[in-house]
Amino acid sequence: MRHLDEYRDPLAIRSVLSRIEKALVRPATLMEVCGGQTHAILKFGLDQVLPPKLRLIHGPGCPVCVTPLEQIDRALAIAATPGVIFCSFGDMLRVPGSHGDLLLAKARGADVRIVYSPMDAVAIARREPSRPVVFFAVGFETTAPANAMAALVAMREGVRNFSMLVSHVLVPPALEALLSADGCEIDGLLAPGHVCVITGQEEYETVSRRFGIPIVITGFEPLDLLSGVLAAIEQLETGRACVENRYARVASAGGNAAARRVVGEVFEVCDRKWRGLGEIPASGYAFAPAFAAVDAERVFGLEDLRVDEPDDCPSGLVLQGRLVPTRCPQFGARCTPDHPLGAPMVSAEGACAAYFHYGRTAAEGEEARA
Ligand code: SF4
């Protein structure tokens, strides 16, 4: 805790809260982009101590939540293929597809394994050369370098039974789509610090200029988040709009060039469908043609699979910050972490799971702030 204490120091937190109260004159709405930030805000009760004039809304920054139904269905189809070993991080196992989830597939006899890194899946492929091994590569810019490296290693070593089902999404195009939407109420953004560690801040500067809004690169501890809020409010109240980095201890302006080189070698930018948000141009990664041999969609002939999203889970509205999870008619009734209707109730970064986990109701949150 030694390195966390200073970012959770009550005196420092009170001081920043008081600066926010003084700086905030007009009502403002800020979106924290990342689901990890949403969880921290609810866990530490920041939503209940910020001034009522400030509204925090939750963004689309949960890669599990935004993985579209058809990609889950592709995963289920591959996992059900005789002989396949399907590897995934644990939180993808309970995301509902059209007919059940990967955990149910495992219960029915599919060889679905939880791994902790894509290289674990490559290692399984080396050990079991007679069986196809597929890794479910989900994530934002943050996880893309490790996944790209696993594909590179498999190709270089000639591990021919290894492939990846890729569902990588990119944050800035999604933000542009949200900010361009009719009725958008976002005055400023708290950008995900861990993504910027890889990408740097240039793309966020483009978004800030185009939409004339403050964007503050922010971490995940209470003081990180409040410092991000303060910077955004100070910009709004003084009529400025630029990118500020309040996570400089981890994220540099230029990002990680070596990581981006590996990603650029293995992937190319593609249009990507997001759960609940539809197809967003240039918002994802797909394998470059030279890596077709490790592209599970091609290997298993699933490129043309198309599935409509279910209409009983309004997760698209939650992911756009237009619906507070507790206002979803299914929240806590038909939809719980044990019986989720949508990915935001499953994922460790999902907004619905955060509200459920930290016991929030809409009334409680509003009362506390009043
Ligand atoms: S509470 Fe459940 S049904 Fe409602 S948006 Fe969240 S995941 Fe979907």
Side-chain angles (χ1 to χ4, degrees), residues 107-118:
R108 287 176 176 157
D111 192 347
V112 176
R113 302 186 191 181
I114 295 176
V115 293
Y116 297 98
S117 99

Side-chain angles (χ1 to χ4, degrees), residues 9-217:
D9 175 39
L11 282 179
I13 287 170
R14 270 192 213 110
S15 160
V16 180
L17 274 171
S18 129
R19 288 175 66 194
I20 291 171
E21 295 231 11
K22 281 193 195 112
L24 184 66
V25 177
R26 290 164 296 179
T29 298
L30 301 180
M31 171 180 273
E32 86 277 356
V33 174
C34 175
Q37 294 170 329
T38 302
H39 273 254
I41 286 164
L42 293 172
K43 175 180 174 182
F44 293 103
L46 303 184
D47 55 320
Q48 299 181 343
V49 293
L50 282 163
K53 264 189 287 192
L54 177 70
R55 190 160 64 109
L56 283 180
I57 56 174
H58 318 306
C62 163
V64 174
C65 301
V66 300
T67 299
L69 187 67
E70 62 192 33
Q71 207 65 346
I72 306 293
D73 283 1
R74 285 190 183 101
L76 289 164
I78 294 170
T81 306
V84 163
I85 300 172
F86 192 87
C87 301
S88 171
F89 295 144
D91 47 4
M92 292 307 295
L93 264 54
R94 297 187 54 245
V95 178
S98 297
H99 306 286
D101 55 30
L102 284 164
L103 209 56
L104 187 64
K106 186 175 170 65
R108 287 176 176 157
D111 192 347
V112 176
R113 302 186 191 181
I114 295 176
V115 293
Y116 297 98
S117 99
M119 288 307 295
D120 292 347
V122 176
I124 293 171
R126 283 194 204 102
R127 284 200 304 272
E128 306 242 19
S130 62
R131 298 179 61 187
V133 175
V134 182
F135 175 68
F136 201 0
V138 172
F140 289 105
E141 293 92 328
T142 334
T143 51
N147 291 338
M149 188 54 84
L152 259 181
V153 168
M155 289 282 279
R156 281 180 189 161
E157 289 187 11
V159 184
R160 294 185 198 286
N161 58 326
F162 177 77
S163 62
M164 299 170 90
L165 177 62
V166 171
S167 192
H168 269 297
V169 282
L170 308 175
V171 174
L175 296 181
E176 298 215 8
L178 289 182
L179 293 165
S180 305
D182 286 345
C184 173
E185 296 177 355
I186 301 167
D187 297 311
L189 291 166
L190 305 182
H194 57 336
V195 170
C196 297
V197 168
I198 305 296
T199 63
Q201 64 187 56
E202 195 180 319
E203 288 178 82
Y204 293 86
E205 278 159 7
T206 307
V207 177
S208 173
R209 269 195 305 275
R210 181 174 164 208
F211 294 93
I213 61 162
I215 299 182
V216 185
I217 297 165

Side-chain angles (χ1 to χ4, degrees), residues 312-316 318 323 325-326 328-332 334-336 339-346 351-353:
D312 56 352
C313 166
S315 60
V318 171
L323 177 69
T326 46
C328 170
Q330 326 290 359
F331 179 87
R334 281 185 64 215
C335 184
T336 64
H339 298 284
L341 287 180
M345 188 56 97
V346 178
C352 302

